[in-house]
Each structure stands twice: as structure tokens, then as C-alpha cells.
Amino acid sequence: MTKILTRAGLAILAALIGVYLILPVLIVVPMSFSDSSFLTFPPGELSLRWFRNLVEDPVWIGSALASLKVALLSAVSSVVLGVLASLALVRGRMPFRNTIIAILLAPLIVPYVIIGLASYIVFLQLGLTQTTLGFVLVHTCLAVPYVVINVVAGLVSVDRRVEMAAMSLGAGPVTTFFQVTLPLILPSVLSGGLFAFFISWDEVVTAIFLSGPELTTLPVQMWSGIRVQIDPTVAAISTIVMLVIFGSFIVLGLTRLIRQLAHRRSATNSSATNTGA
Amino acid sequence: MKTTKLLAVASAVGLAVTLTACGGGSSSSASEESLTVTMWGGAAQKAHVDSYFLPWAESKGVTIKQDSPTDYAKIKAQVEAGQVTWGPTEVEPNFANTACEAGLLEKLPQDILDKAKETGVAEDQIGPCAIPILQYSFTIAYNSDTFPDAHPTTWAEFFDTEKFPGKRGFWKYATGGMFEAALLADGVAPDQLYPLDIDRAFNKLDTIKKDIVFFDTGDQMTQMLASGEAPLVQAWSGRIFQAQQAGEKIANEWNDNLVSYDQIVVPKGYPNTELAFEWMRWFLDNLEAQAADAEASIYGPASDKALEFVPEEIRKELPGYPSNAESSAGLVDYGYWAENYDSVTERLNTWIAQ
Amino acid sequence: MTSAPADSSTGRLRGRPLSLRLSLWARFDGWGALVLPLLVVLVLVFGLPLAVMLSRSLTDPSFGLQNYSDVFANSVYLRVLGNTFLIATIVTAVTLALAYPYAYLMTLVGPVWRMIMMGLVLVPFWTSILVRSFALVLFLRDTGAFNSALQSLGVIDEPIPLIRTLPGVVFGMVQVALPFAVLPIFATMQGIDRRLLQAAESLGDRPAGAFWRVFVPLSVPGVAAAVLLTFVQALGYYITPALLGGPKNTMIGELIVQQVSTVLRFGFAAALATLLLVTTLLLLVVAGRFVDLQKHLMRQS
């Protein structure tokens, strides 16, 4: 009985949290259809002008692609470097362990504006401003603590005996890692990678320093008018991104559903031909 | 399932690699002349660039590159590193003053300074490193739904929360005009404002402190006014009029307005400085371009002489309009602010946090 | 004893006794050495520029501790710093209180619902923080949808002031922090074998007891990760508090940005940042004493 009550209570709480999480979306999407050049909610007259602006003005698509590229590369490099570092922290010995941990966590603690300015001053000399490489380097540093914290949490829950069993059966350390450990920590790795991607995708403070006419990321493009007037196109961008994500989720869900159905059908077929196994 | 994951990872990596290969960083064309213009971004920057950069650039065969928003830290970092990429940049006059003295900006040649005066630019808005690019005023903006009949017409009335109840909006910025407004409300004569008696201003602000709400951005300013949250705001005249045109029930009260302006500077060491100076000469001569910008952005032109080319309905909402200029309480003195911005900002931070 | 590489890059150890050089490298075992690639990248890209920047706190505008004495001279900076830690603590507590049950429910439901719940958690990521904060302001203000709805339902007569208050700031910041907390907690919970709970129950424990005595302790690594991430991240926020909060909710990030971008006192800003960094690291060390972070985060006593 208590189980049902607690489950019900949890469900209600989760539903409320769900609404809380998508609240901004519920506001932003209608806002993006407003005709006004000011961000208003509820929207007055409706129009698609901001979506048209998104398509017609090349700066938006250009900066979106730049952001996508930077975020993907940063996520990949953060995950690779971060997973290696997590393995080292959990499994290995190293001198000055606490100092190393402090260095790994420091990008989380130091204000991004300081990191941005510091990198800017150095990158100006190296010619790395307004380059993809410069962005990826900085964003990797910013994102890596997220990966490490997540993967470490995942690694500690791994039962080492499974790994030892694999190795006793003849698998080398690398094979063991890819075949045994990685699948076990995959949720944490994916979480970390996801965080890394979004940290880079939405990052604006250091991006303002590194951006310029040659290369601008989407958040900087969105922020650029904030002092005087925010361009309502930013609302249209959010709506489009939402559509893309929901679209992919639906596609993913459908493919899984189809595969499950196919699997089930082949299972019934095979069981029909399987007499008494 | 494993294969799917592998495929997903592989495609992500492949996509990343392709994207890198595709957009492999455009190389800046050193052969063609280019000018990098940096302003405060958004629709206003678009209007400015369209009005008085692109026409000149097309006639000269120059490419205009744009960056935004202006960031004083970037200017300082660029100049210190000797790698300046920003050309004509829109800045606030107190920064122009301080930066000019600190050697961060190119000094303008004398002929440009002379030409500015000749073409009708106010002399007190010209600096050794800067010419004005636009003007606006800090006005008493009011919500016409909250105050349909009577509204404050002087700063003294603005500070009178008994006669006109409601919150007051101020720009959270030392040079946002609140100290000038407080002193004027306290009875200081406009020609005796500077140097500002900050203590006296804080005392006056204390009388309405619990009713003050601050804004950081233009959108916050119009929103708090239009929603009635703060039915009286010390506002930027242009934005209020634009919102009014868009249907919001707000308006500018021009009496007692404080005129302010932004300037154009060139960071020291910019490779195309001579080109920037050429543009400046063209800009100062070209009153029609200035007027076109005024019409598009609702900011006053650099030279009041350009006003005659601006349509009447917009001219009424610009600082240079005769009745607005007459009822003005004066020009914000950025020479004072150049010296005192840091200390007053710190006092403001402290006062706000109490 | 493994021998040190012939010409190690530890130039600073040149001249030191061979035994020290040998022992430094030997203290990295095979696993431990995996941290080196990241360490190198971090030190080069992040550490060195940062060190140069932070050293400006001692040299810009003049040599010495002038910047630090300026910080302590005006109480506003310390007050804002303290306020920052307070707000971060509140945000972390609220986020944890919401994230834990949400993640737990995610482990209980079927795959379809789980995907939906995961999708909901990821939605905030896809909206830029600028847009999100603006939307929340429009929602929470006196004339916004929230107050209007409550008023039309008759729940309240006067609008509840939510923006420019601490609850408003917490509302906005928790929204940003939730995804960062739910994911690591869920990832850990997913790995907990439910048969352990069943075993506990079969040994006579009540379901609630099994939960608290078996499940919760096993979920601690995820919780520790979530707490660390949320708290430290919250220290650095300033955009959301600036848009949603009042003047009393100013956080140190805003002041640092102000010093960098408008007042242009790089050295002073560096001093503030150094102070924040040192205080946070100290806090983590102190917390580590109480909670033995190493043991929980890395299962090493």
C-alpha cells in the first residue's frame, strides 16, 4: 500500500518537475511567432518573420554551424581526455594527487570571464582567435571537469571482478576496457559527453572573446544585441532547435519501436518453427 | 545494440571531421581593403552600418566586416598585445576619454576635428580621439495607462513618490544619468551640476530607494515600463519611442532631458587607420547619411544640421529638436565621468547592496 | 623501481638528486599515467594563461598586494562573495531535493516513460540561457502568466513578487542546474542492482528500510557528483541572477565582469577571481574532511 502511495507521490512530483523543466519552452515557442520586434508574452499579432529572418540572414545559419562544429569537436576531445583522466584517478597512482584534482576541477571554479580574457590575451599572440582550433581548445578545458566528475562517479560503481574475470580469460587491458568497462560506464560517459556538448554549444562568455567577423558562434550572435535590444530571432532559433530535437527523439523512438516489432515478429516466427527446444 | 552505438559514434566523428574539412576557417583577404566596424549590435547596428558605412564602402570598393558587441576589455587586450583587429568602434565617451589618455586609441588628425566643428557637430562632444556618432537623451519615460492625465515633467516630480506613486526605474550604470537626475531633483541648477556632488545625490536617491528597480538592458527597460512594473523610468529616448510606435502605452517626457551621446574611436595600432579616417571625413560631410540613420534607428545624428533631412514625426523625438533642446537640462559631462567612473561605480555597488 | 626516461621533460628537476627524479616518475603507475594527456592540455591551454592573468592581481596596476587590500577594504565585495556561497548552497539543496526523486522514478518506469523523462530533462539544454532567463522573467513578473493565472483562479488577490527576489533567483538557477544533477544521479542509480534490494527485503528488512540502507548508500557517488557539479557551477552564475534577482542578490560573477569589461581593472578582477578560487578550493578541502570525498568519489580510503 505504501508502495503505491509513494509511487503516486513520486509520479506527481516528477510531473511537476517536468512542467518546471519545460516552462521556458512553453513560453519561448509562442513568443517566436510574435510579430513584435520586442520579446513579448503572450504574443500579440502572429507572424513568421523571425523564422524568415533566420533563413534569410546568413549570420544565423553560419554561426549555428560554427557552434555545432565546435561543440561536436569539443565533446569528442573532452570525452577522450576525460575518460582517460578518470581511469587514472580511480585506478591509478600519481604524485601530487590533490594538486592534479584541483587543476582538473579548476575550470569549473574560475569565472569564465577571467578564463576568456586570459585565453584571449595569449591567443591574440598565437593567432588562435576566431579559429575553430582555438575554440575547441578552450571549450575542451571548460567541459572536461563535467566529463571527469560524471565518469569517475560511474567508474567507482563498476565491479572490478568482472574486469578481472575478463582478463583472466585472456583479454588484454585495452580489450577489457572496450568490451567490459566501457559498456558498464557508458551512461556516465554519455552524460559527460552530453554535458560537454551543451557546455560548448551554449557557452557565451569565453566565446565573446574568441569570436569575431571570421568566426562567430551562435550564442555570441544571440547575445550581441543584448545591450540595446534583443533580436527576437533568438526565440525562433530556440523553437527550431526544439523541433529538431523532438524530431530526432521521435525518429529514434520510432526506429526502436519498429525494430522491437520486427524482433518480436521474427521471434514468433522462429518459435513457431522451434518445436520443443 | 552495440553496432548501433558504434555507428552513432562513428557518424558523429565523421560528421565532425567533415565539418572541419568544409568550413576550414576563412582566411582574411589581405589584398582587398577592409574595415572592421564594431558597435553595440542588434537592429541598431544594422541600421547604422546600412546608413553610413555601406554606402561609403560600396563607392570605394571596401569590404565592411562587422563585429559586436563593443567590449572594452577586448580593446585593451588587443592594443596591449599589439594585435588590433577592430577599426571604427562605438564606445561611450567616458571610455573614449580615459582610453585616449591611456594611449589605447588613435589620435584623430586635426583636419577631422576641424571638419567636425564645421559640419555642425557640438564642440563639447568632440574629443582628441573621438567624434560623436549618435545622440540620445535620458528622458522621463512614463506609462500612459498608469498616468493618463498628469505625469511628472521635472526630475523633482519624478522623485515625488507621493504625488506620483509607483516604482522608479534606473539604468544600473553610473553614467546612466541617475546622479544628474537626483541632483536636479534636489534643486541644483543645470549649469552647476558638474562636478557632481555624489553624496548629495545619494541622499536624494535614498528618499526613494525602496521604490527603485534597476535595469541592465534596453529590453528590461521597456518591459518594466510597458508592463507597469515601474511606471516611471529614466529611459533612453530612442527605445521608448520605438516601443511606442510598436504599440506600447509608453511615452517620452522631454522636459528636463539630459542629452548623451556615443562616440567612434579607432584602437591604437589598427592596420587600416588611414582608411578609417577617410570614412570619418565622408561621414562628417554626409548629412543625408546621418539623417537616414536617425530615421532608421531613432538616435539623433552626430550633427544637428542633419536634422533638417529627418522626417518631422521622428525629429520630434530626437535631442536636437528645438523644443527638446530648449527644455534640456544639459549635456552629460563625460569629462567628469572619465575621472570618476571607477570610484562612483564602486560607491554605487556598495549602495545597491545595502 | 622503474627507471626514469633518459631525458625527461622535468627540467625543473634537473640538478636534483637522481633518486627524486626516479621517484617522481615511478609514482605514476600505468593507470595513473593516463591522466597526463589531459593534464598537459589543461596546463598549456588553461593553466598558463590563467596563471599569467591571476598574477596580474599582484602586478596591475602596481606591484604588491594593493588589489587584495582594496577587496577587503570595501565590505561590498566580501558581502557579495558570502552571498554567492549562500545562494549556491540553497540552489544545490533545492536541486538535490528535486533531482533525487526524479532520477529514482526514472529507474522505476518503463523504457518509453524513461525516454520521455530523459527528454524533459534535456529540454533546458536546448534553449539558450539567454532566452530561458528572459522567458522566466516574462513568466514570473507581477503581470506575468504565473501571477495572472493564480489571480484568475482566485488563489491570490495581489501578485506575488517573484522577480528581483531570492525565490525568483533560486527558481531560475535550479532550472539551469537540474539537468546537471539528474543525469549523474540517474547514471549511478541505473547501475545499482535491484536484486540487492530484494535480498535485503528477503532478509527481513522493510522496503523502506531496504531503500535507505541499501539503495541510498549505493547512489552516493552519483549524488556526490551532482552536488559538486551543482554547487561549483552555481558559484559562477551571474546572468540568471542578474536578470531574475534584485540588487541584494548580486553574485560575485557580475562584479568580476563589471571590473573586467567596464571599469577595466584587470588586476582587481584577477584578485576577486583568485579569492573565489581559493575560497572554493578551501571549502572543498573542508568538506572533504567531513565527507571524505576521496572515499565517496573515488572509492579510495
Side-chain angles (χ1 to χ4, degrees):
Chain A
M1 184 57 202
T2 35
K3 202 176 229 180
I4 300 180
L5 274 179
T6 33
R7 294 279 169 104
L10 273 179
I12 295 176
L13 180 62
L16 283 175
I17 295 177
V19 171
Y20 175 54
L21 283 168
I22 63 171
L23 199 56
V25 172
L26 297 176
I27 299 173
V28 168
V29 172
M31 227 162 48
S32 62
F33 291 100
S34 162
D35 190 51
S36 164
S37 60
F38 293 78
L39 284 175
T40 50
F41 183 80
E45 276 178 40
L46 299 178
S47 88
L48 287 176
R49 70 188 267 211
W50 304 116
F51 293 92
R52 249 180 290 131
N53 192 27
L54 194 55
V55 175
E56 284 168 15
D57 197 344
V59 295
W60 294 107
I61 306 225
S63 57
L65 285 178
S67 280
L68 192 61
K69 184 167 38 159
V70 166
L72 274 174
L73 292 173
S74 304
V76 167
S77 59
S78 309
V79 165
V80 169
L81 293 172
V83 168
L84 288 177
S86 309
L87 285 170
L89 280 175
V90 177
R91 302 276 168 83
R93 280 183 313 136
M94 60 187 73
F96 310 116
R97 170 177 281 268
N98 284 329
T99 317
I100 292 183
I101 294 177
I103 297 178
L104 290 182
L105 290 184
L108 265 183
I109 309 173
V110 179
Y112 282 8
V113 69
I114 298 285
I115 301 179
L117 181 60
S119 318
Y120 187 60
I121 293 176
V122 171
F123 281 13
L124 273 176
Q125 305 281 22
L126 298 175
L128 280 176
T129 57
Q130 304 187 56
T131 62
T132 308
L133 177 62
F135 264 103
V136 172
L137 285 174
V138 173
H139 278 180
T140 302
C141 291
L142 298 181
V144 133
Y146 291 87
V147 176
V148 169
I149 290 180
N150 271 294
V151 174
V152 160
L155 267 177
V156 300
S157 312
V158 166
D159 194 344
R160 306 239 21 212
R161 289 172 297 177
V162 186
E163 288 181 4
M164 289 196 262
M167 289 210 266
S168 75
L169 287 171
V174 176
T175 325
T176 315
F177 174 73
F178 278 104
Q179 304 267 25
V180 180
T181 321
L182 190 56
L184 287 173
I185 58 169
L186 200 59
S188 301
V189 172
L190 285 180
S191 291
L194 213 57
F195 287 173
F197 180 85
F198 286 117
I199 293 293
S200 169
W201 168 261
D202 201 27
E203 206 283 314
V204 67
V205 181
T206 64
I208 283 184
F209 282 101
L210 296 173
S211 288
E214 312 292 337
L215 181 65
T216 301
T217 57
L218 188 61
V220 175
Q221 192 63 43
M222 293 202 274
W223 271 92
S224 64
I226 189 177
R227 177 190 164 106
V228 182
Q229 182 188 3
I230 296 184
D231 191 334
T233 315
V234 305
I237 294 174
S238 299
T239 309
I240 296 280
V241 171
M242 213 71 55
L243 281 174
V244 169
I245 299 314
F246 278 143
S248 12
F249 255 90
I250 292 178
V251 167
L252 235 139
L254 281 175
T255 28
R256 209 181 261 186
L257 198 66
I258 293 174
R259 211 176 320 124
Q260 268 180 354
L261 285 174
H263 187 79
R264 211 171 293 161
R265 188 166 306 155
S266 69
T268 35
N269 278 346
S270 61
S271 68
T273 51
N274 250 2
T275 43
Chain B
M1 212 42 214
K2 218 167 52 159
T3 353
T4 339
K5 284 186 190 148
L6 265 170
L7 275 175
V9 172
S11 37
V13 173
L15 182 63
V17 170
T18 338
L19 283 175
T20 329
C22 281
S26 54
S27 53
S28 52
S29 42
S31 47
E32 212 178 270
E33 294 238 292
S34 74
L35 203 66
T36 304
V37 175
T38 311
M39 301 178 122
W40 295 110
Q45 175 162 345
K46 188 159 189 312
H48 299 326
V49 172
D50 283 346
S51 307
Y52 49 66
F53 275 106
L54 289 182
W56 168 82
E58 272 159 27
S59 68
K60 303 265 313 178
V62 172
T63 324
I64 296 286
K65 296 194 193 159
Q66 296 190 49
D67 204 355
S68 63
T70 299
D71 189 319
Y72 300 147
K74 282 177 89 164
I75 295 178
K76 183 168 169 175
Q78 284 180 20
V79 175
E80 283 179 4
Q83 299 280 338
V84 180
T85 53
W86 281 3
T89 308
E90 181 186 354
V91 301
E92 292 155 293
N94 56 303
F95 170 79
N97 262 324
T98 340
C100 193
E101 269 180 47
L104 292 177
L105 305 173
E106 295 281 355
K107 292 236 175 352
L108 299 182
Q110 188 60 40
D111 73 290
I112 291 188
L113 300 175
D114 292 334
K115 185 188 276 290
K117 283 179 229 148
E118 283 156 20
T119 55
V121 174
E123 202 168 331
D124 45 10
Q125 294 183 15
I126 307 174
C129 298
I131 54 167
I133 191 77
L134 51 83
Q135 302 184 58
Y136 62 99
S137 277
F138 295 113
T139 52
I140 297 171
Y142 61 97
N143 184 313
S144 42
D145 274 343
T146 317
F147 298 110
D149 308 307
H151 60 264
T153 52
T154 65
W155 292 113
E157 290 183 346
F158 186 90
F159 274 72
D160 189 342
T161 45
E162 276 182 25
K163 193 164 165 202
F164 300 100
K167 296 212 183 289
R168 304 295 195 257
F170 286 103
W171 189 12
K172 191 160 58 166
Y173 214 54
T175 54
M178 76 171 100
F179 295 103
E180 286 87 343
L183 287 174
L184 288 167
D186 205 31
V188 177
D191 53 3
Q192 294 182 340
L193 266 183
Y194 295 97
L196 299 179
D197 186 344
I198 298 290
D199 292 318
R200 186 172 173 182
F202 270 127
N203 283 336
K204 186 68 181 169
L205 285 165
D206 273 328
T207 63
I208 57 167
K209 187 171 184 191
K210 58 176 175 48
D211 284 318
I212 295 183
V213 282
F214 285 106
F215 63 86
D216 290 298
T217 68
D219 281 292
Q220 284 177 313
M221 175 185 78
T222 41
Q223 257 170 26
M224 67 169 59
L225 186 61
S227 70
E229 183 197 344
L232 289 170
V233 173
Q234 179 179 38
W236 313 336
S237 53
R239 297 291 302 142
I240 300 299
F241 182 59
Q242 274 181 326
Q244 189 181 14
Q245 281 184 316
E248 301 285 0
K249 299 283 185 283
I250 59 182
N252 280 316
E253 167 57 59
W254 280 91
N255 193 38
D256 246 5
N257 73 80
L258 290 154
V259 181
S260 180
Y261 55 101
D262 274 353
Q263 290 176 321
I264 283 277
V265 298
V266 181
K268 196 171 188 68
Y270 179 59
N272 292 348
T273 304
E274 280 312 313
L275 198 59
F277 288 158
E278 270 184 52
W279 168 80
M280 275 190 194
R281 293 184 188 102
W282 179 92
F283 169 76
L284 289 168
D285 275 331
N286 208 313
L287 296 176
E288 280 97 349
Q290 295 185 26
D293 174 64
E295 198 180 333
S297 66
I298 324 280
Y299 278 104
S303 163
D304 282 340
K305 285 198 188 147
L307 279 175
E308 57 174 306
F309 300 105
V310 181
E312 171 77 9
E313 67 200 6
I314 302 205
R315 214 187 312 162
K316 282 190 306 177
E317 294 283 343
L318 299 179
Y321 190 68
S323 63
N324 296 340
E326 274 163 30
S327 56
S328 165
L331 182 72
V332 175
D333 183 350
Y334 283 103
Y336 166 84
W337 282 114
E339 282 176 42
N340 297 287
Y341 179 75
D342 294 359
S343 54
V344 177
T345 299
E346 186 152 318
R347 287 190 64 177
L348 185 59
N349 286 341
T350 317
W351 183 80
I352 288 179
Q354 275 164 356
Chain C
M1 223 34 157
T2 44
S3 54
D7 186 38
S8 68
S9 52
T10 51
R12 56 190 163 87
L13 287 185
R14 205 154 285 158
R16 300 267 180 94
L18 185 67
S19 55
L20 184 63
R21 262 186 283 167
L22 281 174
S23 66
L24 186 69
W25 279 107
R27 284 160 72 192
F28 276 99
D29 66 353
W31 283 115
L34 288 179
V35 80
L36 287 175
L38 178 56
L39 210 54
V40 166
V41 170
L42 269 181
V43 167
L44 285 179
V45 177
F46 166 76
L48 287 179
L50 186 69
V52 169
M53 182 74 214
L54 293 183
S55 68
R56 274 179 99 130
S57 65
L58 297 170
T59 60
D60 175 359
S62 57
F63 238 70
L65 293 171
Q66 182 61 33
N67 284 316
Y68 290 97
S69 60
D70 283 342
V71 172
F72 287 105
N74 190 341
S75 68
V76 68
Y77 298 108
L78 293 178
R79 201 157 356 129
V80 168
L81 191 61
N83 201 29
T84 306
F85 279 95
L86 180 66
I87 296 182
T89 312
I90 297 176
V91 168
T92 309
V94 174
T95 307
L96 193 61
L98 295 179
Y100 199 90
Y102 192 87
Y104 181 57
L105 190 64
M106 276 177 77
T107 62
L108 295 176
V109 296
V112 173
W113 275 109
R114 189 172 309 154
M115 216 168 66
I116 295 180
M117 287 180 81
M118 177 68 87
L120 286 178
V121 161
L122 293 182
V123 163
F125 277 160
W126 291 108
T127 358
S128 108
I129 189 145
L130 169 67
V131 181
R132 259 189 283 169
S133 307
F134 240 82
L136 283 182
V137 169
L138 291 177
F139 180 72
L140 290 175
R141 60 183 179 175
D142 289 358
T143 49
F146 186 67
N147 274 313
S148 307
L150 286 183
Q151 280 183 299
S152 56
L153 285 176
V155 178
I156 49 170
D157 296 316
E158 289 283 314
I160 316 174
L162 283 171
I163 54 172
R164 299 181 215 293
T165 62
L166 186 58
V169 174
V170 173
F171 190 91
M173 284 174 72
V174 168
Q175 231 246 1
V176 176
L178 255 181
F180 289 103
V182 167
L183 278 152
I185 296 180
F186 173 67
T188 305
M189 282 184 177
Q190 238 196 353
I192 296 177
D193 198 338
R194 297 210 71 89
R195 292 173 298 176
L196 291 169
L197 281 174
Q198 288 170 339
E201 284 178 44
S202 75
L203 285 172
D205 209 348
R206 295 176 301 120
F211 178 77
W212 286 106
R213 269 185 282 270
V214 178
F215 189 84
V216 171
L218 285 174
S219 67
V220 163
V223 172
V227 166
L228 180 63
L229 217 46
T230 311
F231 182 77
V232 175
Q233 218 191 18
L235 289 176
Y237 288 169
Y238 69 92
I239 296 170
T240 310
L243 286 176
L244 285 170
K248 298 225 178 26
N249 312 119
T250 312
M251 295 184 66
I252 195 75
E254 188 177 326
L255 290 183
I256 296 182
V257 169
Q258 187 191 60
Q259 293 296 323
V260 166
S261 293
T262 62
V263 183
L264 293 183
R265 284 168 75 188
F266 289 177
F268 188 65
L272 286 173
T274 311
L275 216 54
L276 178 66
L277 182 61
V278 166
T279 317
T280 310
L281 286 175
L282 279 176
L283 200 68
L284 289 178
V285 167
V286 168
R289 289 287 140 83
F290 282 105
V291 182
D292 204 348
L293 278 177
Q294 291 259 32
K295 184 165 89 147
H296 285 122
L297 276 179
M298 293 174 219
R299 289 285 164 81
Q300 304 200 351
S301 347

